[in-house]
Amino acid sequence: MKILIINPNSSPAMTADIDRCAKAFANGEFQVDTVLTPGAPPYIDTYQDAALACPGMMQIVRENEEAYDAFVVACHCDPNLDVLKEMTDRLVVGIGEASMKMATMLGHRFSVISMGSRSTPIKEEVIRRYRLEDCAGPVRAPEDGLASCREEELFLDAAKKAIEEDMAEVIVLGCAGMCGLDKTMEKALGVPVLDGVTCALILASGMVKAGIATSKKRRYAKN
Amino acid sequence: MKILIINPNSSPAMTADIDRCAKAFANGEFQVDTVLTPGAPPYIDTYQDAALACPGMMQIVRENEEAYDAFVVACHCDPNLDVLKEMTDRLVVGIGEASMKMATMLGHRFSVISMGSRSTPIKEEVIRRYRLEDCAGPVRAPEDGLASCREEELFLDAAKKAIEEDMAEVIVLGCAGMCGLDKTMEKALGVPVLDGVTCALILASGMVKAGIATSKKRRYAKN
Amino acid sequence: MKILIINPNSSPAMTADIDRCAKAFANGEFQVDTVLTPGAPPYIDTYQDAALACPGMMQIVRENEEAYDAFVVACHCDPNLDVLKEMTDRLVVGIGEASMKMATMLGHRFSVISMGSRSTPIKEEVIRRYRLEDCAGPVRAPEDGLASCREEELFLDAAKKAIEEDMAEVIVLGCAGMCGLDKTMEKALGVPVLDGVTCALILASGMVKAGIATSKKRRYAKN
Amino acid sequence: MKILIINPNSSPAMTADIDRCAKAFANGEFQVDTVLTPGAPPYIDTYQDAALACPGMMQIVRENEEAYDAFVVACHCDPNLDVLKEMTDRLVVGIGEASMKMATMLGHRFSVISMGSRSTPIKEEVIRRYRLEDCAGPVRAPEDGLASCREEELFLDAAKKAIEEDMAEVIVLGCAGMCGLDKTMEKALGVPVLDGVTCALILASGMVKAGIATSKKRRYAKN
Amino acid sequence: MKILIINPNSSPAMTADIDRCAKAFANGEFQVDTVLTPGAPPYIDTYQDAALACPGMMQIVRENEEAYDAFVVACHCDPNLDVLKEMTDRLVVGIGEASMKMATMLGHRFSVISMGSRSTPIKEEVIRRYRLEDCAGPVRAPEDGLASCREEELFLDAAKKAIEEDMAEVIVLGCAGMCGLDKTMEKALGVPVLDGVTCALILASGMVKAGIATSKKRRYAKN
Amino acid sequence: MKILIINPNSSPAMTADIDRCAKAFANGEFQVDTVLTPGAPPYIDTYQDAALACPGMMQIVRENEEAYDAFVVACHCDPNLDVLKEMTDRLVVGIGEASMKMATMLGHRFSVISMGSRSTPIKEEVIRRYRLEDCAGPVRAPEDGLASCREEELFLDAAKKAIEEDMAEVIVLGCAGMCGLDKTMEKALGVPVLDGVTCALILASGMVKAGIATSKKRRYAKN
């Protein structure tokens, strides 16, 4: 089984982080590779960022759908996910959709921890797109603006507020670049912390094994 | 006042139809022009179609935001509307959003008449994106598959079923290419029939006159 | 084109304010007049106030439906709007409905700034009547009780809290008597501020021009 | 204990029917009287009908709030209920609210049987006002238009369709004038059939006995 | 008429409290008895508690359905209510369902005052089960953890916050063991305070009198 | 890794079917065992059935939580799932929750195919419990009453109606006993057909591998 993770941005460093986490989870039981998106901006934060990433993401799918069994879109707002689900018969899993739907199975309310408040309305629209607004607390971000992906302390502070003030029982990491922080944060917080890349790989590898893929009836019909 | 209508597809015929209807409504009281989208497919039906139209639509906005006061996106599923609202300080109005929100002011339930059932799930997602699902009956399309934009009889049949079986009280034309059919259909049906191009021009011209534009706080911040 | 604005209360001062704003917006392009409601209380705050205004409002419509093309109800809780929509073939637009539905096109969340907390539950019911509760933050009012319509400073304070604490991106003035404050508040706040009278006139004048009126099928059938 | 039933219309025959059913339920354990509404139309079907009934209903409350412990509004669309709840400290119960909320305790889905399809959108708005749309099937009415209140056969046909086609498990009589049909219809249908007058009296008499009345905090503050 | 109150826990003290309040309300007009549940835990707080109470509750219904006209389940999270509604033709009323649905008739928003924050998510699920989440503020509990049922001061503090900060207009006592506190709290708070046992008895005694019971069509069919 | 599947009923035949499907999916990559529930009825259809199965299910968890890494509840209405999630630190996955949430990732709308219409309201409550009502068409069952689990033809007929009339794009098998029918039905229907046992094993095995388990904060705190 071969799964290709598409990092919708063009950051080699974030791509490498994602790849390392993904391979750690795969543990040699299936092949997983990660590519960055040519022509995409270095970080996906806005609607324009997502739009600029789209041609490159489509090209990656076109060029790899013979070679791979499934695709994972590794940006928490699941940019262009519908386009990709439509254009290929291969399974496509978004890390936002995977992690947030899995979070609903583990507790009464989940909260997404984001990198900065700029993208909060977009993230809330994503939550709503999946009809999860009643299961989610407000998106929380470090208070002094855009964090780097690895500033664990700031995310812990935001997560603690989500747990205590918003009654969250599960934390969802709101950026693919936060992958690898889940277990240390989980230890500090005492509640499950979900990394989207891991969640998407659970679903993608399991569904490929079971022969489950996107419905090609109506909504995602290829053409 | 100058308003630019962006037809997200590349059909010159549909662009000309839209332009004629738009100029008829404007009636010389404001300037309105219509352009097709370079590089877009001839018809926007799928997620891929919308994605392929995006670069061209962004380019049109970039090149014209100095010269025009507002933009109208003239495809009923409002493709890439969020991207455009974000990228410019100018007002951007989608014909789907405009016509369906105006329809809610005129009766208990509206129904969108679509060209073919292929795009029904996408149109229902658009209805839901605007939180209008409780005001809308099911999207109706001619039963024998994709119609041409001008086959009024087929649309009348679908609209009659919407009115009688789904309790619709207002009909919304689900394609920019249907513009100009509204008044003859209205006469035949006895309920308001809304053409999205007209509705979007009402809002765009009125809001420009009043100095109202997209909020640049958070969700649609230019950045 | 002739539009009649019905101020549902009996305050001559507020009627004059509304009329001045309305004529400024109309700018001579269409005729607009404003009348107060005979027999109504001086201010509409409660369910009883709305009930007491109803006979006078109905009388105004009956006496003027020949002479005017459309009516605007100029009180933000849209009192008796359904009654008026039903009783006449002319278009009837409420300033609450117009401004709040237009606000949803401009940003992620809007907040209504009200004159006093007494009417908050009624205003929240109005928001819900239009199925806008997911697009609206809590109604905000000056904290020390009922303000006069022209106390801009108090409204600015409430609006700033709505923007910062409730994540509002658009402000809606919650009283017809606040008309004329929109542009100065907009400048101070940096987000769109919508005055209901202006919004209703945009819709009413545009729909009259396009020949659009209330559906007379079922819900608003005359009888 | 004394309860006054307000029939919002001016029909002496329907008032007598309601009074007979009410006294049968009261069974001498509490006093119940029924009055028609002076100045109201003979039947409440439209928004205008409800508006025309309002002054008379308010007058009845004003003149009787010393003498009675509670009021019941005996029209299934609960006309002017908010006005009455606001204007008096006495408990006010609507037969629509009472019967539909009680219906939700008895089965998975209820259906309202109405007298004619003219008022269906208004009845559906009432269902929605009480946030019951997910518990209710579509409102059903005899197919050949407006029935008289006593045509039990037509209502049975509509109720059977509601039970079989809409999966209703409880039937709610959608007009005060249908009171007294509940038990014979229940026998024929095999599911509970709720008469609003009875349901409202259950709640009104019980709440008066327990000393429960409308909250006068905020929404229904007398002023 | 004979009504049996089932206290789902095994506390003799709480059972006695409930019985005293119930008999006070019944006032000799109908017979009411209260039993504790054999084999149940001393307090119902968790899903396991509810599960452990189920066999005993089922046994009580089986042994008493000949002798009693209706059952009341006297724990505010209505444990095993669906099971009991299904297994008997007798009416079964839960105090949570009864009090919260009655609360919606008395004001814009109600708040449940709970004994401790441990059960908040369970209580919020109960609110949602009855589709009341839009009518309810957050569940409030004394801040320093689990209170005893009779610590009125702590409940008053929580209720005041619900009224002032959450805009509650009606208070619902979130535990059968709080019965008897309603009237003193009501006096202190100035808004209606609903005791579930009283509310359930209003409905149960009224419905028995009117011959209304659970629908045995589909959802609660005996088998 | 060791996963224990709890069949909540006491049918050895259905237990053997489930076990065979589970082992086929596991394919030797993890250990999976299946047990029936002592003291449970032979089939879980009603609320009482679920209640009767509860003590046995709790006992199974207590006796096996040392030996197994996760539990799967193999009945599509997920009986007693909350109880089990609460009582153990081990992950617990219900086949209803797993299959329906996975179905939402694969298409616009899913439909559950059930064995008989008796349990339709219960299944619809389960759909609602997971807030999936907007993603699901009506539950469909063979029209002539309760089918046996293996009557593929009847299920195909029901599924075809769901796809054509209800616009379903994904089919979910509504009974653990239908396991093994998914792939032949998928071939006949041309849309994904999800078997709950497989879906639950995908999630359970993946989450155990990733070290993800139920949150023990608040809702499912052990006590």
Side-chain angles (χ1 to χ4, degrees):
Chain A
M1 185 192 315
K2 293 173 63 180
I3 296 174
L4 184 63
I5 299 179
I6 303 172
N7 174 8
N9 70 36
S10 60
S11 155
M14 199 185 288
T15 308
D17 282 345
I18 295 169
D19 195 59
R20 193 175 49 248
C21 292
K23 287 189 160 69
F25 175 75
N27 196 26
E29 291 157 28
F30 55 88
Q31 179 180 337
V32 59
D33 301 305
T34 312
V35 290
L36 57 74
T37 297
Y43 187 70
I44 306 292
D45 203 29
T46 67
Y47 291 111
Q48 294 169 85
D49 293 338
L52 293 174
C54 192
M57 295 173 73
M58 293 175 76
Q59 179 191 335
I60 292 170
V61 168
R62 251 190 322 265
E63 293 176 353
N64 291 282
E65 65 181 339
E66 289 306 309
Y68 285 88
D69 298 295
F71 297 95
V72 165
V73 174
C75 168
H76 206 267
C77 54
D78 288 348
N80 306 306
L81 187 61
D82 285 329
V83 179
L84 270 48
K85 284 185 178 178
E86 179 190 89
M87 72 180 287
T88 179
D89 288 336
R90 300 302 190 189
L91 181 71
V92 185
V93 177
I95 68 168
E97 184 169 20
S99 57
M100 294 193 294
K101 289 186 176 172
M102 283 173 61
T104 64
M105 303 182 187
L106 302 173
H108 184 63
R109 184 171 297 155
F110 71 84
S111 289
V112 175
I113 303 303
S114 177
M115 305 232 333
S117 65
R118 165 63 181 85
S119 61
T120 295
I122 293 179
K123 285 201 182 318
E124 295 196 342
E125 281 298 297
V126 175
I127 289 170
R128 193 179 168 271
R129 193 195 305 159
Y130 300 129
R131 298 160 207 262
L132 298 172
E133 52 282 54
D134 294 334
C135 313
V139 173
R140 286 265 183 187
E143 286 180 356
D144 296 325
L146 197 71
S148 127
C149 281
R150 319 301 305 172
E151 298 185 62
E152 193 173 334
E153 273 315 304
L154 296 178
F155 302 139
L156 278 176
D157 284 351
K160 278 173 193 161
K161 281 188 186 130
I163 294 168
E164 293 313 321
E165 296 175 24
D166 306 335
M167 304 278 281
E169 299 178 8
V170 180
I171 295 296
V172 173
L173 300 180
C175 176
M178 295 182 192
C179 67
L181 299 183
D182 50 344
K183 291 305 165 189
T184 52
M185 285 180 65
E186 193 163 300
K187 205 159 294 176
L189 294 168
V191 304
V193 176
L194 299 189
D195 157 45
V197 175
T198 303
C199 294
L201 287 176
I202 289 172
L203 285 163
S205 62
M207 290 203 250
V208 166
K209 185 177 168 186
I212 298 170
T214 309
S215 177
K216 289 291 152 177
K217 185 85 187 174
R218 294 193 194 96
R219 184 176 185 185
Y220 296 120
K222 259 179 116 168
N223 206 1
Chain B
M1 187 192 315
K2 293 174 63 181
I3 296 175
L4 184 64
I5 300 179
I6 303 172
N7 174 8
N9 70 34
S10 59
S11 157
M14 199 184 289
T15 308
D17 282 345
I18 294 169
D19 195 58
R20 194 176 48 248
C21 292
K23 287 188 160 70
F25 175 75
N27 196 25
E29 291 157 29
F30 55 87
Q31 178 180 338
V32 60
D33 302 305
T34 313
V35 290
L36 56 76
T37 297
Y43 188 70
I44 306 291
D45 203 30
T46 67
Y47 291 111
Q48 293 168 87
D49 293 339
L52 293 174
C54 192
M57 295 173 73
M58 292 174 77
Q59 180 191 336
I60 291 171
V61 168
R62 251 191 321 266
E63 293 176 353
N64 291 282
E65 64 182 340
E66 290 305 309
Y68 286 89
D69 297 297
F71 297 95
V72 165
V73 174
C75 168
H76 206 267
C77 55
D78 289 347
N80 306 306
L81 187 62
D82 285 329
V83 179
L84 270 48
K85 284 185 179 178
E86 180 189 89
M87 73 181 286
T88 179
D89 289 335
R90 300 299 188 192
L91 181 72
V92 186
V93 177
I95 69 168
E97 185 169 20
S99 57
M100 295 194 295
K101 289 186 176 171
M102 282 173 59
T104 64
M105 303 182 187
L106 302 173
H108 185 62
R109 185 171 295 156
F110 71 84
S111 289
V112 174
I113 303 303
S114 177
M115 306 232 332
S117 65
R118 164 66 180 84
S119 61
T120 295
I122 293 179
K123 284 201 183 317
E124 295 197 342
E125 281 298 297
V126 175
I127 289 170
R128 193 179 168 271
R129 192 196 305 159
Y130 300 128
R131 299 162 205 261
L132 299 172
E133 52 281 55
D134 294 334
C135 313
V139 174
R140 286 265 183 187
E143 287 181 356
D144 297 325
L146 197 71
S148 127
C149 282
R150 321 298 308 172
E151 297 185 65
E152 193 174 335
E153 273 314 306
L154 296 178
F155 302 138
L156 277 176
D157 283 352
K160 278 173 192 160
K161 280 185 186 133
I163 294 167
E164 293 314 321
E165 296 175 25
D166 306 335
M167 304 277 280
E169 300 178 7
V170 180
I171 295 297
V172 173
L173 300 180
C175 176
M178 294 182 192
C179 66
L181 299 183
D182 50 345
K183 291 304 164 191
T184 51
M185 287 181 65
E186 194 164 297
K187 205 160 295 179
L189 294 167
V191 304
V193 176
L194 299 189
D195 157 44
V197 175
T198 302
C199 294
L201 286 176
I202 290 171
L203 285 164
S205 62
M207 289 203 250
V208 167
K209 183 176 168 188
I212 298 171
T214 309
S215 178
K216 288 291 152 177
K217 185 86 187 174
R218 294 193 195 96
R219 184 176 184 186
Y220 295 121
K222 258 176 120 164
N223 214 4
Chain C
M1 186 192 315
K2 293 174 63 181
I3 296 175
L4 185 62
I5 299 179
I6 304 172
N7 173 8
N9 70 35
S10 60
S11 157
M14 199 183 290
T15 308
D17 282 345
I18 295 169
D19 195 58
R20 194 175 48 247
C21 292
K23 288 189 160 68
F25 175 75
N27 196 27
E29 290 157 29
F30 55 88
Q31 179 180 338
V32 58
D33 302 305
T34 313
V35 290
L36 58 75
T37 297
Y43 188 71
I44 306 292
D45 203 29
T46 68
Y47 291 111
Q48 293 169 87
D49 294 338
L52 293 173
C54 192
M57 294 172 74
M58 292 174 77
Q59 179 191 333
I60 291 170
V61 168
R62 251 190 321 266
E63 294 175 353
N64 290 283
E65 63 182 340
E66 290 306 310
Y68 286 87
D69 297 295
F71 297 95
V72 165
V73 174
C75 169
H76 207 266
C77 54
D78 288 347
N80 306 305
L81 187 62
D82 285 328
V83 180
L84 269 50
K85 284 185 179 178
E86 179 190 89
M87 72 180 287
T88 179
D89 288 336
R90 300 301 189 191
L91 181 72
V92 186
V93 177
I95 68 167
E97 186 170 20
S99 57
M100 294 193 296
K101 289 186 176 173
M102 282 174 60
T104 64
M105 302 182 188
L106 302 173
H108 185 64
R109 185 170 296 154
F110 70 84
S111 289
V112 175
I113 302 303
S114 176
M115 306 233 332
S117 65
R118 165 65 181 82
S119 61
T120 295
I122 293 179
K123 284 200 182 316
E124 295 197 341
E125 280 299 297
V126 175
I127 289 170
R128 193 181 167 269
R129 193 196 305 158
Y130 300 129
R131 297 161 209 261
L132 298 173
E133 53 278 57
D134 294 333
C135 313
V139 174
R140 286 266 182 186
E143 286 181 356
D144 297 324
L146 197 71
S148 127
C149 282
R150 318 302 304 176
E151 297 186 63
E152 195 175 332
E153 273 314 305
L154 296 177
F155 302 139
L156 277 176
D157 284 352
K160 278 173 192 161
K161 280 188 185 130
I163 294 168
E164 293 314 321
E165 297 176 23
D166 306 335
M167 304 279 280
E169 299 179 5
V170 180
I171 295 298
V172 174
L173 300 179
C175 176
M178 294 182 193
C179 67
L181 299 184
D182 49 346
K183 291 304 167 192
T184 51
M185 286 180 66
E186 195 164 297
K187 204 159 295 177
L189 294 167
V191 303
V193 176
L194 299 189
D195 158 44
V197 175
T198 302
C199 294
L201 287 175
I202 290 172
L203 285 163
S205 62
M207 290 203 251
V208 167
K209 184 176 167 188
I212 298 170
T214 309
S215 177
K216 288 292 152 177
K217 185 86 186 175
R218 296 194 192 94
R219 183 175 185 184
Y220 296 120
K222 260 178 116 167
N223 210 359
Chain D
M1 186 192 316
K2 296 175 61 180
I3 295 174
L4 184 63
I5 299 178
I6 303 171
N7 174 8
N9 69 34
S10 59
S11 155
M14 199 184 289
T15 308
D17 282 345
I18 294 169
D19 195 58
R20 193 174 52 248
C21 291
K23 287 189 161 68
F25 175 76
N27 195 27
E29 291 156 30
F30 56 88
Q31 178 180 336
V32 60
D33 302 304
T34 312
V35 290
L36 57 75
T37 296
Y43 188 70
I44 306 291
D45 203 29
T46 66
Y47 291 111
Q48 292 169 86
D49 293 339
L52 293 173
C54 192
M57 295 174 74
M58 291 174 77
Q59 179 191 336
I60 292 170
V61 168
R62 251 190 321 264
E63 293 175 354
N64 290 282
E65 65 181 340
E66 290 306 309
Y68 286 87
D69 298 296
F71 298 95
V72 165
V73 174
C75 168
H76 207 266
C77 54
D78 289 348
N80 306 305
L81 187 61
D82 285 329
V83 180
L84 270 49
K85 284 185 178 179
E86 180 189 272
M87 72 180 286
T88 178
D89 289 334
R90 300 301 190 190
L91 181 72
V92 185
V93 178
I95 68 168
E97 185 170 20
S99 57
M100 294 193 294
K101 289 186 177 173
M102 282 173 61
T104 64
M105 302 183 189
L106 303 172
H108 185 63
R109 186 171 295 156
F110 70 84
S111 289
V112 174
I113 303 304
S114 178
M115 305 236 329
S117 65
R118 165 66 180 85
S119 61
T120 295
I122 292 179
K123 285 201 183 315
E124 294 198 341
E125 280 299 297
V126 175
I127 289 170
R128 192 178 170 271
R129 194 196 304 159
Y130 300 129
R131 299 162 206 260
L132 299 172
E133 54 278 58
D134 294 333
C135 313
V139 173
R140 286 266 184 185
E143 286 181 356
D144 297 325
L146 198 71
S148 126
C149 281
R150 319 301 303 174
E151 296 185 66
E152 193 173 334
E153 274 315 305
L154 296 178
F155 301 138
L156 278 176
D157 284 352
K160 278 172 192 161
K161 280 187 185 131
I163 295 167
E164 294 313 321
E165 296 175 25
D166 306 336
M167 306 277 281
E169 301 179 7
V170 180
I171 295 297
V172 173
L173 300 179
C175 176
M178 294 181 192
C179 67
L181 299 184
D182 50 345
K183 290 304 165 193
T184 52
M185 285 182 66
E186 192 164 299
K187 206 160 294 177
L189 294 168
V191 303
V193 176
L194 299 190
D195 157 45
V197 175
T198 303
C199 294
L201 287 175
I202 289 171
L203 284 164
S205 63
M207 289 204 250
V208 167
K209 184 177 168 188
I212 297 171
T214 309
S215 177
K216 288 293 154 177
K217 185 85 187 176
R218 294 194 194 94
R219 183 175 184 185
Y220 295 120
K222 261 176 115 165
N223 215 5
Chain E
M1 186 192 315
K2 294 175 62 182
I3 295 174
L4 184 63
I5 299 178
I6 304 172
N7 174 8
N9 70 36
S10 60
S11 156
M14 199 185 289
T15 308
D17 282 345
I18 294 169
D19 196 58
R20 192 175 52 248
C21 292
K23 287 188 160 69
F25 175 76
N27 197 25
E29 291 155 29
F30 56 89
Q31 179 180 338
V32 60
D33 301 306
T34 313
V35 290
L36 57 75
T37 297
Y43 188 70
I44 306 291
D45 202 28
T46 67
Y47 291 110
Q48 294 169 86
D49 293 339
L52 293 172
C54 190
M57 295 173 74
M58 291 174 76
Q59 180 190 332
I60 291 171
V61 168
R62 253 190 321 266
E63 292 176 353
N64 290 283
E65 63 181 340
E66 289 306 309
Y68 286 87
D69 298 295
F71 297 96
V72 166
V73 173
C75 169
H76 207 267
C77 54
D78 289 347
N80 305 306
L81 187 62
D82 285 328
V83 180
L84 270 50
K85 284 185 178 177
E86 179 190 88
M87 73 180 286
T88 179
D89 289 335
R90 299 302 190 191
L91 181 71
V92 186
V93 178
I95 68 168
E97 185 170 19
S99 57
M100 293 193 295
K101 288 186 177 172
M102 283 173 60
T104 63
M105 302 182 189
L106 303 172
H108 184 64
R109 184 172 296 155
F110 71 84
S111 289
V112 175
I113 303 302
S114 177
M115 305 233 332
S117 65
R118 166 64 180 84
S119 60
T120 295
I122 293 179
K123 285 200 183 315
E124 295 197 342
E125 279 299 297
V126 175
I127 289 171
R128 195 180 166 270
R129 193 196 304 160
Y130 300 129
R131 298 161 207 261
L132 299 172
E133 53 278 57
D134 294 333
C135 313
V139 174
R140 286 267 183 184
E143 286 180 357
D144 297 324
L146 198 71
S148 127
C149 282
R150 318 302 302 176
E151 296 185 65
E152 194 174 332
E153 273 315 305
L154 295 178
F155 302 139
L156 277 176
D157 283 351
K160 277 172 192 160
K161 280 187 186 132
I163 294 168
E164 294 312 322
E165 296 175 24
D166 306 334
M167 305 279 280
E169 300 179 6
V170 181
I171 295 297
V172 173
L173 300 179
C175 176
M178 294 182 192
C179 66
L181 299 184
D182 49 345
K183 291 304 165 192
T184 51
M185 284 181 65
E186 193 164 298
K187 203 159 296 176
L189 294 168
V191 304
V193 176
L194 299 189
D195 158 44
V197 175
T198 302
C199 294
L201 287 175
I202 289 171
L203 285 164
S205 63
M207 290 204 251
V208 167
K209 184 177 168 187
I212 297 170
T214 309
S215 178
K216 288 292 153 178
K217 185 86 187 174
R218 295 195 193 93
R219 181 174 186 186
Y220 295 120
K222 260 178 116 167
N223 207 2
Chain F
M1 187 194 313
K2 295 175 62 181
I3 295 174
L4 184 63
I5 299 179
I6 304 172
N7 173 7
N9 71 35
S10 60
S11 157
M14 199 184 290
T15 308
D17 282 345
I18 294 168
D19 196 58
R20 193 175 50 248
C21 293
K23 287 189 160 69
F25 175 76
N27 195 26
E29 291 156 27
F30 56 87
Q31 178 180 335
V32 59
D33 302 305
T34 313
V35 291
L36 58 72
T37 297
Y43 189 71
I44 306 293
D45 203 30
T46 67
Y47 291 111
Q48 293 169 87
D49 293 339
L52 294 173
C54 192
M57 294 173 74
M58 291 174 78
Q59 179 190 334
I60 291 170
V61 168
R62 253 191 318 267
E63 293 176 353
N64 291 281
E65 63 181 343
E66 290 305 309
Y68 286 88
D69 298 296
F71 297 95
V72 165
V73 174
C75 169
H76 207 267
C77 55
D78 288 347
N80 306 306
L81 187 62
D82 285 329
V83 180
L84 270 49
K85 283 185 179 179
E86 179 189 273
M87 73 180 287
T88 178
D89 289 335
R90 299 301 190 191
L91 181 72
V92 186
V93 178
I95 67 167
E97 185 170 20
S99 56
M100 294 193 294
K101 288 187 176 172
M102 281 173 61
T104 64
M105 302 182 189
L106 303 173
H108 185 63
R109 185 171 296 155
F110 71 85
S111 289
V112 174
I113 303 304
S114 177
M115 306 235 331
S117 66
R118 165 66 180 84
S119 61
T120 294
I122 293 180
K123 284 201 183 316
E124 295 198 341
E125 280 298 298
V126 175
I127 288 170
R128 193 180 167 270
R129 193 196 305 157
Y130 300 129
R131 298 162 207 259
L132 299 173
E133 54 279 58
D134 294 333
C135 313
V139 173
R140 287 265 182 186
E143 286 181 356
D144 297 324
L146 197 71
S148 127
C149 282
R150 319 299 305 174
E151 297 185 64
E152 195 174 333
E153 273 316 306
L154 295 178
F155 302 138
L156 277 176
D157 284 351
K160 278 173 192 161
K161 280 187 185 130
I163 294 167
E164 294 312 323
E165 296 175 24
D166 306 335
M167 305 277 282
E169 299 179 7
V170 180
I171 295 297
V172 173
L173 300 179
C175 176
M178 294 181 192
C179 66
L181 299 183
D182 49 346
K183 291 302 163 191
T184 51
M185 286 181 65
E186 194 164 298
K187 205 159 294 175
L189 294 168
V191 304
V193 176
L194 299 190
D195 157 44
V197 175
T198 302
C199 294
L201 288 175
I202 289 171
L203 285 163
S205 63
M207 290 204 251
V208 167
K209 183 177 168 189
I212 298 170
T214 309
S215 177
K216 288 292 153 176
K217 185 85 188 176
R218 295 194 194 95
R219 184 174 184 186
Y220 295 121
K222 263 178 112 166
N223 207 0

